[in-house]
């Protein structure tokens, strides 16, 4: 049987997270039929897993314009733009309503296990671009199926593939065996079971970014209530003036608060910092773990290890596509120089679109966190601009696709873990990233009132 003409097929979007659902909204706005495939049981399934963490981007920075346009006729009211959502807020108050509006354009329990060209593996040239994409799906009930698409937008993110302990990018020796004592997530210390896991324990926190800062601050707060709670902060580099971020000088106050919280944890004796430590192995010592560095140093035993060394893209299910990826970041080759974390922070990456996100394989795009590969500098608003540009290109409006329609504030707009009190709602004259004047080092503020 002949396959339908490509233009009659939907554009398949992989992932019903913030950027995947924004993709669908922009496609609908362009008159293109999307089909969003989500492996989890609800919209924003990955976001819900870090629902206890508050973003340091405000609501005004994490709602996509095309999505808001779809939601408006339903009576949906946007939360106050100057307040900061938690992950749970983002999922429940925005992502799920958006998915509900999209209706049967979103399928849950549909895990994409492979993407290729119909009848063509990555080797075959003949009539390649004339063939639709074929997508293999594993459904929640265990059944498998194949569907075809005119284009594929992979917004599956990087949440499912955290980086390991090893300083060389590989799991440290013994890491897999000790997995029952190792976590790759910021702990939710409001959960009684999780709290008991760390209370009164000695915990190693490995990492130097916002997530590590947050974990250190959470454990420092726990230490005030549970004697014996102590953190060992392990950094692969030394401590310098930039270790704790911009602190009070950071133009994004909420982001700066994270670094100040981590510094306070060390200064107040709730954490010890170990620098220049690249872990090569994890050894068991009774009920505890001993971390051993490449240079032979051995740390005192710890009860738990929290690994926050970044995330990386899962490229296994797009391996039959001809992707042009940077050899270091695993990001699209044209985008990689613009997001290199050695050169850029989230505030210095300029908006980009279809040109930077295109691959040798026509009409396939990695977007959102996945487009950034191993770079940690992703911006939610930049992701929305990515998919606006791609949708315009798929609709044949190349002028709109190449036109930058996003102006970032000078401070930048950074998504990610935040740690600060709920800000008072104030009118500001052009401030994009209002934050509270005072902050509490500890668990995020309650989700009410965002």
């Amino acid at each position: 049987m002949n396959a339908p003409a490509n233009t009659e097929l939907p554009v398949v979007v992989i992932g019903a997270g913030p950027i995947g659902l924004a993709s669908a909204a922009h496609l609908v706005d362009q008159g293109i039929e999307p089909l969003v495939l989500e492996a989890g049981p609800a919209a924003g399934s990955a976001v819900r897993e870090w629902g206890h963490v508050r973003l340091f981007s405000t609501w005004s920075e994490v709602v996509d314009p095309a999505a808001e346009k779809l939601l408006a006729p339903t009576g949906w009211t946007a939360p106050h733009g100057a307040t900061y959502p938690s992950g749970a807020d983002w999922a429940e108050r925005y992502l799920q309503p958006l998915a509900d509006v999209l209706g049967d354009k979103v399928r849950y329990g549909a895990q994409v296990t492979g993407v290729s060209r119909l009848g063509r593996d990555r080797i075959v040239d003949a009539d390649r671009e004339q063939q639709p994409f074929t997508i293999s799906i594993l459904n929640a009930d265990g059944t498998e199926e194949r569907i075809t698409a005119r284009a594929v937008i992979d917004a599956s993110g990087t949440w499912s593939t955290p980086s390991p302990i090893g300083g060389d990018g590989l799991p440290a020796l013994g890491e897999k065996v000790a997995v029952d004592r190792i976590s790759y997530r910021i702990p939710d210390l409001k959960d009684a079971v999780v709290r008991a896991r760390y209370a009164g324990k000695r915990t190693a926190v490995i990492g130097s970014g916002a997530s590590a800062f947050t974990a250190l601050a959470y454990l420092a707060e726990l230490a005030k209530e549970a004697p014996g709670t102590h953190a060992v902060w392990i950094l692969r580099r030394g401590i310098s003036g930039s270790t704790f971020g911009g602190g009070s000088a950071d133009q994004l106050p909420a982001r700066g608060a994270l670094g100040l919280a981590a510094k306070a944890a060390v200064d107040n004796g709730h954490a010890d910092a170990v620098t220049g430590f690249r872990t090569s192995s994890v050894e068991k010592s009774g009920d505890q773990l001993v971390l051993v560095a490449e240079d032979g140093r051995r740390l005192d035993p710890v009860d738990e290890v929290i690994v926050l060394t970044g995330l990386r893209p899962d490229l296994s299910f797009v391996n039959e596509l001809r992707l042009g990826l940077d050899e270091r970041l695993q990001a699209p080759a044209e985008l990689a120089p613009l997001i290199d974390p050695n050169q850029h922070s989230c505030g210095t990456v300029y908006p980009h679109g279809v040109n930077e996100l295109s691959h040798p394989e026509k009409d396939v795009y990695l977007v959102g966190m996945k487009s950034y590969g191993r770079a940690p500098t992703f911006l939610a608003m930049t992701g929305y601009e990515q998919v606006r540009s791609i949708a315009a290109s798929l609709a044949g409006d190349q002028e709109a696709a190449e036109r930058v329609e996003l102006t970032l504030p000078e401070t930048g707009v950074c998504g990610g873990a935040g740690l600060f009190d709920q800000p008072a709602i104030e009118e500001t004259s052009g401030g994009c990233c209002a934050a509270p004047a005072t902050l509490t080092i500890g668990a995020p503020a309650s989700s009410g009132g965002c």
Side-chain angles (χ1 to χ4, degrees):
M1 183 175 69
N2 293 329
N6 287 3
T7 54
E8 300 173 6
L9 297 172
V11 172
V12 162
V13 178
I14 305 173
I19 310 305
L21 292 174
S23 299
H26 282 279
L27 290 168
V28 168
D29 194 49
Q30 292 285 356
I32 299 172
E33 182 71 12
L35 175 60
V36 182
L37 301 176
E38 167 58 45
S45 292
V47 173
R48 293 172 191 271
E49 290 191 29
W50 52 269
H52 59 291
V53 178
R54 194 170 297 282
L55 282 75
F56 51 76
S57 294
T58 61
W59 269 113
S60 65
E61 297 155 359
V62 297
V63 173
D64 175 76
E68 189 167 12
K69 180 179 175 182
L70 270 184
L71 284 164
T74 70
W76 180 81
T77 302
H80 193 285
T83 59
Y84 296 82
S86 66
D89 297 331
W90 205 13
E92 294 167 8
R93 303 181 63 184
Y94 168 62
L95 299 179
Q96 193 61 58
L98 176 55
D100 292 344
V101 168
L102 289 165
D104 60 7
K105 294 177 174 61
V106 181
R107 282 182 54 183
Y108 302 111
Q111 179 183 355
V112 174
T113 58
V115 182
S116 187
R117 289 282 186 177
L118 185 64
R120 307 287 189 276
D121 63 21
R122 65 185 298 164
I123 299 175
V124 179
D125 290 333
D127 298 325
R128 186 176 187 85
E129 291 190 0
Q130 284 67 54
Q131 304 306 313
F133 291 95
T134 180
I135 295 95
S136 293
I137 302 171
L138 175 63
N139 294 307
D141 62 5
T143 59
E144 296 180 279
E145 63 176 302
R146 291 264 181 105
I147 62 172
T148 50
R150 61 171 285 196
V152 175
I153 298 175
D154 182 356
S156 59
T158 55
W159 178 253
S160 64
T161 46
S163 296
I165 290 176
D168 54 11
L170 302 174
L173 296 176
E175 180 174 348
K176 294 179 180 179
V177 176
V179 69
D180 60 324
R181 295 297 182 91
I182 300 174
S183 170
Y184 299 85
R185 310 299 187 199
I186 299 171
D188 180 3
L189 297 182
K190 289 186 176 181
D191 182 300
V193 174
V194 176
R195 191 179 185 84
R197 177 174 178 175
Y198 297 100
K201 304 291 181 61
R202 180 177 167 85
T203 300
V205 177
I206 305 176
S208 59
S211 295
F213 291 167
T214 305
L216 287 167
Y218 283 10
L219 292 171
E221 189 71 13
L222 179 60
K224 299 175 184 178
E225 304 172 11
T229 304
H230 194 78
V232 181
W233 183 21
I234 299 173
L235 299 102
R236 293 171 179 169
R237 294 170 291 187
I239 289 181
S240 67
S242 63
T243 297
F244 300 101
S248 59
D250 197 315
Q251 290 181 303
L252 283 172
R255 181 178 61 186
L258 290 170
L260 292 175
K263 188 175 187 301
V266 175
D267 291 346
N268 295 334
H270 298 307
D272 298 320
V274 179
T275 61
F277 194 97
R278 293 181 172 271
T279 309
S280 63
S281 64
V282 180
E283 299 177 358
K284 289 199 171 184
S285 176
D287 292 332
Q288 295 182 301
L289 301 176
V290 174
L291 301 181
V292 183
E294 293 174 354
D295 60 11
R297 280 184 293 165
R298 302 170 65 87
L299 298 184
D300 290 338
V302 297
D303 301 292
E304 299 285 343
V305 179
I306 299 174
V307 186
L308 299 167
T309 53
L311 303 164
R312 54 184 59 178
D314 177 6
L315 300 169
S316 61
F317 60 88
V318 289
N319 195 44
E320 289 304 316
L321 299 175
R322 296 176 176 180
L323 302 180
L325 299 176
D326 178 72
E327 66 274 10
R328 292 182 303 142
L329 296 183
Q330 296 179 296
E334 294 298 317
L335 176 61
L338 311 180
I339 62 173
D340 185 344
N342 294 303
Q343 304 293 330
H344 297 280
S345 72
C346 50
T348 62
V349 175
Y350 75 84
H352 50 272
V354 67
N355 289 341
E356 293 85 358
L357 297 168
S358 293
H359 294 275
E361 192 80 70
K362 187 176 183 293
D363 291 339
V364 60
Y365 304 97
L366 310 184
V367 300
M369 276 296 300
K370 191 159 187 177
S371 73
Y372 273 47
R374 299 193 182 199
T377 51
F378 177 69
L379 322 140
M381 286 178 71
T382 301
Y384 297 153
E385 173 66 4
Q386 287 180 342
V387 298
R388 182 209 61 79
S389 174
I390 289 167
S393 179
L394 290 172
D397 189 347
Q398 200 61 25
E399 180 184 355
E402 295 181 1
R403 184 173 63 242
V404 175
E405 295 189 357
L406 172 65
T407 302
L408 293 173
E410 289 182 6
T411 54
V413 181
C414 306
L419 182 69
F420 45 89
D421 284 342
Q422 188 74 358
I425 298 174
E426 299 177 355
E427 294 299 323
T428 59
S429 57
C432 72
C433 307
T438 59
L439 59 95
T440 298
I441 297 172
S446 65
S447 59
C450 277

